Amino acid sequence: MIRKRKPHVIITIGMAGAGKSTFVQRINSYLHSQNPPQPPYILNLDPAVTHLPFEANIDIRDTVNYKEVMKQYNLGPNGGILTALNLFTTKFDQVLDLVEKRAETVDYIILDTPGQIEIFTWSASGAIITDAVASSFPTVVAYIIDTPRTTAPATFMSNMLYACSIMYKTKLPFILVFNKTDAQPHNFALEWMQDFEAFQVALASHSGSRDSEGEPTYMNSLMNSMSLVLDEFYKHLKAVGVSSRTGDGIKEFFEAVEESRETYRTYDVKEDSMNRLMKDLAVDRATNPKAAAEDRWASDEEDDDDDLDVNLIDRSKWLKSPFV
């Protein structure tokens, strides 16, 4: 009997307003529209979202009450999201158990992360979740970019620097997803990535690139230098343009996802992610044992695993196919 290959995990990350949730809704619809349908297994990791354009199989909001966390710990919005994600992470082994039970029946597992990008990318809980899934399944990071807001060279460079930092932190196959191409084609971005001189011309022609004496400004010189540094970075990633509104480019996105599976195998990401996962857990407990002890679920019988299980809900049996 031929064993089915493991499902591919897609972690969607991006700045607030880049269209992550709409993108997840679009790829969800695309997979349902295939013949035969390939419904993905979706995890929503944003505890503060009020509305999702798709139905998640596992929703952090079913497990953690974001507003109650803010009230109990006297936190602001961002602190509440971070603490809710920390609490959810303490049970992520149970999440993985649920996901692995469905591994034989799904081809894709999609993680929709919080809109506040730094809460997931630079927190211990975000690192633990990322390394946990990457140590179990082929995983790719999809970095969603708001294309219309990236036409200015400075904004484009900021996005590329952030993408670069995430790629080297996660050490996972990486896809740049230029979203909203129905409003702004992404050709300019591809040209800037492939042609150093084209970016230099755009930078020089942008307002504010020179001071009152006609000399390049400090920021202009910095971006010139960074574009040279990033030239090597561009060679190690894939970039696709998509429109979450119309569906254009979604097929090309999944082709890039399939190509990333080979990258995952080549660099032995699984072993590296497992080593970093164990290191993250050890460092977090050693440096802040009090916080580790407090970030536990309130339970009358904390040692009873059956009591903990009831807080996680797999909605799969209630989900319906979305309209495409």
Side-chain angles (χ1 to χ4, degrees):
M1 178 179 177
I2 300 176
R3 181 177 174 81
K4 178 183 177 296
R5 69 175 187 172
K6 286 190 172 184
H8 210 130
V9 175
I10 302 171
I11 303 177
T12 58
I13 295 176
M15 301 289 185
K20 293 185 298 300
S21 294
T22 309
F23 174 73
V24 171
Q25 184 273 333
R26 175 54 65 179
I27 61 177
N28 179 37
S29 294
Y30 174 83
L31 291 171
H32 273 89
S33 70
Q34 299 303 292
N35 187 19
Q38 300 174 306
Y41 197 84
I42 304 178
L43 281 69
N44 170 47
L45 300 179
D46 189 347
V49 65
T50 56
H51 169 72
L52 286 175
F54 56 85
E55 293 184 278
N57 298 81
I58 295 180
D59 195 329
I60 188 174
R61 296 175 300 173
D62 293 333
T63 306
V64 186
N65 188 319
Y66 162 69
K67 292 184 178 179
E68 285 301 316
V69 168
M70 288 177 60
K71 186 185 300 183
Q72 180 178 344
Y73 291 94
N74 193 28
L75 299 169
N78 286 344
I81 295 173
L82 178 59
T83 302
L85 193 61
N86 288 344
L87 291 170
F88 186 75
T89 304
T90 65
K91 306 183 74 175
F92 203 72
D93 59 325
Q94 295 177 27
V95 175
L96 280 179
D97 286 342
L98 290 173
V99 172
E100 287 173 352
K101 288 177 182 177
R102 295 294 306 279
E104 290 293 323
T105 60
V106 299
D107 293 319
Y108 296 98
I109 300 164
I110 304 170
L111 275 63
D112 189 21
T113 60
Q116 289 76 0
I117 186 172
E118 69 282 355
I119 287 177
F120 185 82
T121 56
W122 300 111
S123 67
S125 53
I128 289 170
I129 289 173
T130 300
D131 290 336
V133 295
S135 64
S136 302
F137 304 99
T139 304
V140 62
V141 174
Y143 183 73
I144 316 300
I145 297 173
D146 188 340
T147 309
R149 298 182 63 185
T150 313
T151 54
T155 310
F156 173 81
M157 181 59 65
S158 297
N159 257 304
M160 294 303 102
L161 288 173
Y162 215 113
C164 180
S165 66
I166 294 172
M167 188 182 84
Y168 284 110
K169 184 178 186 297
T170 61
K171 295 182 174 63
L172 290 172
F174 202 89
I175 302 174
L176 288 178
V177 181
F178 288 95
N179 197 14
K180 308 182 184 180
T181 54
D182 54 299
Q184 171 64 57
H186 69 300
N187 307 59
F188 74 93
L190 296 180
E191 183 183 13
W192 289 352
M193 293 169 64
Q194 296 165 2
D195 187 347
F196 167 77
E197 292 182 354
F199 180 77
Q200 299 295 304
V201 170
L203 188 59
S205 62
H206 197 262
S207 60
S209 61
R210 294 185 178 275
D211 59 23
S212 58
E213 298 178 355
E215 295 296 323
T217 62
Y218 169 76
M219 286 303 298
N220 184 277
S221 299
L222 177 62
M223 284 189 284
N224 265 315
S225 300
M226 292 308 303
S227 61
L228 282 171
V229 173
L230 291 179
D231 192 51
E232 184 66 23
F233 163 67
Y234 296 146
K235 298 175 183 177
H236 296 281
L237 54 77
K238 297 176 177 63
V240 297
V242 306
S243 169
S244 296
R245 188 175 73 85
T246 67
D248 288 342
I250 298 300
K251 182 175 181 290
E252 289 74 14
F253 168 74
F254 278 103
E255 289 172 355
V257 169
E258 285 304 309
E259 290 175 15
S260 72
R261 184 182 287 268
E262 188 58 36
T263 305
Y264 179 89
R265 293 196 192 103
T266 303
Y267 292 104
D268 200 7
V269 174
K270 178 176 180 179
E271 182 177 352
D272 186 50
S273 295
M274 178 60 75
N275 291 336
R276 285 188 290 121
L277 170 61
M278 299 310 295
K279 183 179 178 181
D280 286 337
L281 289 170
V283 170
D284 190 48
R285 291 168 179 166
T287 57
N288 202 347
K290 183 179 178 181
E294 289 178 351
D295 280 350
R296 294 174 61 86
W297 294 96
S299 174
D300 294 331
E301 299 178 17
E302 290 187 333
D303 293 330
D304 189 347
D305 289 339
D306 291 336
D307 287 344
L308 294 177
D309 287 338
V310 298
N311 289 320
L312 274 175
I313 300 174
D314 186 341
R315 298 181 173 192
S316 302
K317 61 183 178 182
W318 301 311
L319 299 187
K320 299 178 180 178
S321 298
F323 291 103
V324 180

